[in-house]
Amino acid sequence: MDKVNVLTHPLLQHKLTILRDVNTGVKEFREIVSEMAALMCYEATRDLPLAEIEVQTPVAPAKGYAIAGKKLAIVPILRAGLGMVEGILDLIPLAKVGHVGLFRDPETLLPVEYYCKLPTDIAERDVIVLDPMLATGGSAAAAVSLLKNRGVKHIKLMNILAAPEGIATVRKEHPDVDIYCAAVDSCLNDHGYIVPGLGDAGDRIFGTK
Ligand code: PRP
Ligand code: URA
């Protein structure tokens, strides 16, 4: 599907299966979410522009490359998106981190914003929005709208698991946004949970249930 990148690397598929397993404990769950974010970051940054530079090796001058173009920011959607931050920063340590707090109203399933703190120069940066779960897509679409209202021009969305409904919402509301995920599951249940999914990502990362 146009703009939807389902990352089928064996390491990601192996780790995702451990996340799905109801018997996986909090420590392992949290570690794997972070590892998967790092692996997915490889793909999500594949199109970063390079500038040619020259370096001196111990032997001779050599042509090399440095990341060029706009600086990056990552924006986790609280809470569960926090679990993906360290994995990305391991690879892109100079990325700035903004936070958007959204929770889903359990009745309406609509996102409710409760926090927003972004780098002051966010409009000058390319942004990757992080959230392990793309269910109805309401939270992700709201986070992207918020960033666009602050002047951000280029946004990518990174989810570990997506539902077709969530992909459709983001595609409809933000057709310019590239989505990166490790799997697209069947559907949502009556409570808006992804089926078969992995349960409540925030609760499993932070051990709150
Ligand atoms: C979860 C998840 C996403 C959202 C996805 O967060 O982390 O942010 O639901 O659902 P949607 O696509 O239907 O909007 P939740 O509201 O449970 O908050 P939490 O991360 O604080 O647990
Ligand atoms: N949020 C979650 O954490 N899990 C789901 O399956 C859907 C929304």
Side-chain angles (χ1 to χ4, degrees):
M1 206 187 316
D2 187 31
K3 307 288 263 184
V4 181
N5 304 275
V6 183
L7 308 177
T8 56
H9 193 288
L11 286 172
L12 284 169
Q13 296 308 311
H14 178 91
K15 289 175 192 290
L16 174 58
T17 305
I18 299 173
L19 291 188
R20 289 188 191 277
D21 189 337
V22 68
N23 294 310
T24 299
V26 172
K27 177 174 182 287
E28 193 180 7
F29 192 93
R30 191 187 301 133
E31 286 167 358
I32 290 177
V33 166
S34 185
E35 288 167 9
M36 287 186 72
L39 291 167
M40 296 175 81
C41 184
Y42 251 68
E43 285 303 325
T45 54
R46 189 175 277 286
D47 60 352
L48 287 184
L50 290 173
E52 222 175 89
I53 59 169
E54 191 156 306
V55 290
Q56 179 71 42
T57 81
V59 180
K63 191 175 76 173
Y65 301 94
I67 303 286
K70 277 190 173 180
K71 291 185 177 148
L72 288 176
I74 55 175
V75 175
I77 299 179
L78 307 182
R79 289 175 298 172
L82 288 175
M84 301 172 77
V85 170
E86 283 304 317
I88 309 274
L89 289 180
D90 283 346
L91 297 184
I92 314 176
L94 294 183
K96 286 193 176 171
V97 185
H99 295 85
V100 172
L102 294 168
F103 69 87
R104 284 200 315 181
D105 181 297
E107 301 298 326
T108 65
L109 299 183
L110 293 174
V112 181
E113 184 186 330
Y114 62 90
Y115 187 77
C116 180
K117 183 79 180 172
L118 299 170
T120 50
D121 62 351
I122 192 76
E124 268 63 68
R125 291 176 178 262
D126 290 338
V127 174
I128 306 177
V129 173
L130 309 175
D131 195 328
M133 309 303 275
L134 182 65
T136 65
S139 303
V144 170
S145 295
L146 189 152
L147 290 165
K148 286 183 175 175
N149 289 338
R150 302 288 183 101
V152 180
K153 297 282 180 309
H154 192 228
I155 300 170
K156 292 177 178 175
L157 175 63
M158 188 188 292
N159 308 110
I160 286 178
L161 206 46
E165 293 89 333
I167 290 175
T169 300
V170 174
R171 296 290 297 116
K172 181 160 172 278
E173 294 189 25
H174 301 291
D176 55 308
V177 169
D178 285 295
I179 301 172
Y180 295 83
C181 60
V184 181
D185 274 9
S186 307
C187 58
L188 299 177
N189 68 16
D190 291 344
H191 304 288
Y193 276 83
I194 299 177
V195 182
L198 51 74
D200 187 303
D203 283 339
R204 295 196 67 189
I205 290 170
F206 296 109
T208 39
K209 236 176 211 156

